[in-house]
């Protein structure tokens, strides 16, 4: 049952993936030195070994969890697919982490191959890779969720599951709440990954510091430090794999939560397009992804703002917000959706656009406060911390 809204979602996902891949069509073959390649291979092999151990641990924990969940299912007489959804969620979450980590490790070679070029070339290459990783993760997540929602919709419509056939709103609530099992699977993976990899990463990091400073007087990132490779392995798992999984888990929870909220709205405002309110968060996320990527490509091609980091971001956010607001208004009018969807989108995007220049003014490396600290701080520690917080934000 592919409705118009679901079809638009799949089309936007496909176009987003094509746009993120397009900068790599004409890329030359990456060439780096043999020593660098060997070092990167050590890091790749190390991450594989740690991941293999973690996956064994996770399988044991998850089997125990599924057994417990099925026991509760028997007691509470809930449909089995609600528990079953934890399993594909876990597999998808593991796949997202693994794919993201693989692409990020391969991007090291690309960045190193451009190291002899200007800093702008290096940053452009890094931005292209980061957009590719983000788009791949979002595409996997959204397609997976959409397929499960469409399948559940079919089962609920044809198998009934004790849902009154005449009560459309109750069907929508049952559909949206059923997907909550998916959130549990991806959240479990994210929590256990953070627990395991944080321990590894902290141990590696501490070992690199202690060995380097106490034995050889080397900094932790000096390749002459014997603990540098394990430290880099821990950084990859902590800063990449964990980040991807946390983003995946958070996004799934947000989208499913909004879907459940949309299903409850149909209790009070049941219309011919009420099912669209359940699928609206999926469509809105794919729309945001597509528009952001498209505006990114347009703004980067404008010579006037090409070299200004601040104004580039302002134009990107402003134009993206305007396009998303206009498209949301068109759909609200066309599909007879509640206008509250449009007003909430308008307010949210407006405040998001205002937040960026405010944050940039107060904690960016060009702000007066940070410039003062940098000028009067011998080693600029606070300047580094503040700029790091800003970039992370």
């Amino acid at each position: 049952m592919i409705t118009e809204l679901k079809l638009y979602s799949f089309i936007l996902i496909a176009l987003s993936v094509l746009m993120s891949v397009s900068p790599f069509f004409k890329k030359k073959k990456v060439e780096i030195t043999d020593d660098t390649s060997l070092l990167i291979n050590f890091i790749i092999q190390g991450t594989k070994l740690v991941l293999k151990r973690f996956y064994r641990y996770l399988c044991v924990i998850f089997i125990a969890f599924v057994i417990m969940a099925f026991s509760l299912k028997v007691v509470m007489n809930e449909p089995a697919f609600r528990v079953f959804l934890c399993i594909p969620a876990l597999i998808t979450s593991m796949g997202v982490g693994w794919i993201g980590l693989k692409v990020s490790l391969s991007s090291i070679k690309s960045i190193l191959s451009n190291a002899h070029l200007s800093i702008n070339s290096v940053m452009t290459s890094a931005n292209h890779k980061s957009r590719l990783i983000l788009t791949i993760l979002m595409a996997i997540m959204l397609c997976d969720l959409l397929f499960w929602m469409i399948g559940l919709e079919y089962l609920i419509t044809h198998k009934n599951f004790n849902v009154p056939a005449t009560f459309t709103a109750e069907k929508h609530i049952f559909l949206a709440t059923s997907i909550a099992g998916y959130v549990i699977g991806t959240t479990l993976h994210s929590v256990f990954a953070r627990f395991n990899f944080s321990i590894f990463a902290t141990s590696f990091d501490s070992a690199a510091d202690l060995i380097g400073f106490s034995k050889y007087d080397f900094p932790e990132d000096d390749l002459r430090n014997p603990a540098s490779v394990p430290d880099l392995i821990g950084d990859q798992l902590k800063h990449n794999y964990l980040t991807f999984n946390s983003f995946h888990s958070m996004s799934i929870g947000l989208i499913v939560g909004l879907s459940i909220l949309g299903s409850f709205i149909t209790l009070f405002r049941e219309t011919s397009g009420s099912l669209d309110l359940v699928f609206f968060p999926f469509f809105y996320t794919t729309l945001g992804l597509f528009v952001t990527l498209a505006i990114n490509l347009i703004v980067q091609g404008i010579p006037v703002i090409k070299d200004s980091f601040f104004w580039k971001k302002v134009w990107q956010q402003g134009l993206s917000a305007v396009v998303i607001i206009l498209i949301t208004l068109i759909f609200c009018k066309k599909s007879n959706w509640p206008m509250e969807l449009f007003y909430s989108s308008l307010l949210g995007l407006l405040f998001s656009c205002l937040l960026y220049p405010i944050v940039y003014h107060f904690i960016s490396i060009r702000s007066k406060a940070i410039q003062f600290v940098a000028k009067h701080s011998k080693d600029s520690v606070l300047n580094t911390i503040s700029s790091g917080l800003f970039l992370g934000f």
Side-chain angles (χ1 to χ4, degrees):
M1 293 180 288
I2 305 295
T3 61
E4 189 179 71
L5 196 66
K6 301 167 195 171
L7 184 60
Y8 286 147
S9 299
F10 284 119
I11 292 173
L12 290 173
I13 290 171
L15 291 175
S16 299
V17 172
L18 284 175
M19 277 195 296
S20 64
V21 173
S22 59
F24 302 97
F25 287 152
K26 297 181 180 180
K27 282 284 183 181
K28 297 180 181 178
K29 186 179 179 181
V30 175
E31 294 183 1
I32 56 176
T33 62
D34 292 338
D35 290 340
T36 304
S37 180
L38 186 63
L39 178 62
I40 293 172
N41 288 333
F42 282 147
I43 298 171
I44 293 172
Q45 291 301 319
T47 54
K48 286 181 178 179
L49 288 172
V50 178
L51 279 174
K52 187 177 180 180
R53 178 190 177 279
F54 168 66
Y55 288 152
R56 286 200 302 264
Y57 159 82
L58 187 64
C59 285
V60 173
I61 295 294
F62 197 71
I63 289 170
F65 173 80
V66 170
I67 291 172
M68 182 186 72
F70 270 106
S71 301
L72 290 175
K73 177 259 173 187
V74 173
V75 175
M76 300 176 67
N77 196 28
E78 287 290 325
F81 65 80
R82 285 185 167 177
V83 178
F84 170 75
L85 276 175
C86 297
I87 300 172
L90 179 74
I91 295 171
T92 303
S93 185
M94 290 165 58
V96 162
W98 185 83
I99 292 171
L101 183 62
K102 188 175 179 63
V103 177
S104 65
L105 283 168
S106 68
S107 67
I108 297 175
K109 296 181 180 180
S110 175
I111 293 172
L112 288 175
S113 67
N114 293 323
H116 63 285
L117 303 176
S118 65
I119 186 65
N120 287 334
S121 299
V122 176
M123 289 302 297
T124 299
S125 176
N127 287 332
H128 287 161
K129 281 289 185 178
S130 64
R131 279 200 296 270
L132 175 63
I133 294 172
L134 172 65
T135 307
I136 289 174
L137 299 188
M138 293 290 290
I140 293 172
M141 175 189 72
L142 290 167
C143 285
D144 197 40
L145 269 177
L146 278 168
F147 279 127
W148 282 109
M149 286 289 281
I150 292 169
L152 287 174
E153 181 193 352
Y154 176 83
L155 287 174
I156 291 169
T157 303
H158 293 83
K159 302 297 182 181
N160 197 13
F161 288 117
N162 297 322
V163 180
T166 56
F167 197 0
T168 305
E170 189 169 334
K171 280 187 178 181
H172 296 166
I173 293 172
F174 191 83
L175 170 64
T177 53
S178 293
I179 205 72
Y182 195 99
V183 181
I184 295 173
T186 185
T187 303
L188 276 174
H189 178 226
S190 179
V191 169
F192 286 124
R194 181 160 296 280
F195 175 74
N196 277 265
F197 295 152
S198 293
I199 293 174
F200 273 105
T202 304
S203 300
F204 292 157
D205 191 46
S206 301
D209 288 336
L210 291 172
I211 292 172
F213 292 129
S214 64
K215 299 291 184 183
Y216 304 102
D217 197 25
F218 292 155
E220 63 171 317
D221 294 327
D222 193 319
L223 291 180
R224 293 173 296 173
N225 188 335
S228 62
V229 172
D231 183 32
L232 291 170
I233 292 169
D235 288 342
Q236 286 294 323
L237 292 168
K238 181 173 65 175
H239 297 302
N240 286 332
Y241 192 93
L242 286 183
T243 301
F244 302 145
N245 283 123
S246 297
F247 174 77
H248 180 255
S249 176
M250 178 188 68
S251 301
I252 291 287
L254 180 63
I255 292 172
V256 173
L258 289 173
S259 182
I260 293 172
L261 181 62
S263 69
F264 276 99
I265 293 175
T266 62
L267 283 172
F268 308 100
R269 188 177 299 196
E270 189 172 338
T271 63
S272 58
S274 57
L275 183 60
D276 286 345
L277 296 178
V278 177
F279 283 92
F280 178 76
F282 299 88
F283 167 74
Y284 198 77
T285 307
T286 59
L287 174 65
L289 179 65
F290 171 76
V291 171
T292 303
L293 289 172
I295 296 298
N296 251 338
L297 294 175
I298 293 171
V299 171
Q300 284 180 356
I302 301 176
V304 180
I305 58 176
K306 192 173 182 180
D307 298 325
S308 174
F309 178 81
F310 173 75
W311 287 108
K312 186 187 295 184
K313 285 291 183 183
V314 169
W315 275 100
Q316 285 174 357
Q317 292 190 356
L319 289 175
S320 298
V322 170
V323 173
I324 292 172
I325 288 169
L326 290 175
I327 294 176
T328 305
L329 177 61
I330 292 170
F331 270 89
C332 285
K333 294 288 188 182
K334 179 184 175 183
S335 303
N336 196 26
W337 294 343
M339 285 302 294
E340 287 82 0
L341 286 176
F342 167 72
Y343 296 134
S344 60
S345 299
L346 177 64
L347 287 173
L349 290 168
L350 177 63
F351 282 111
S352 295
C353 291
L354 289 174
L355 188 62
Y356 179 80
I358 292 172
V359 171
Y360 188 92
H361 176 74
F362 284 106
I363 67 171
S364 77
I365 57 176
R366 295 179 180 84
S367 66
K368 291 183 179 180
I370 300 304
Q371 288 294 327
F372 176 82
V373 172
K375 183 179 178 181
H376 294 86
S377 176
K378 184 177 180 181
D379 51 11
S380 297
V381 172
L382 290 180
N383 179 39
T384 302
I385 294 174
S386 301
S387 62
L389 287 172
F390 172 74
L391 292 172
F393 174 82

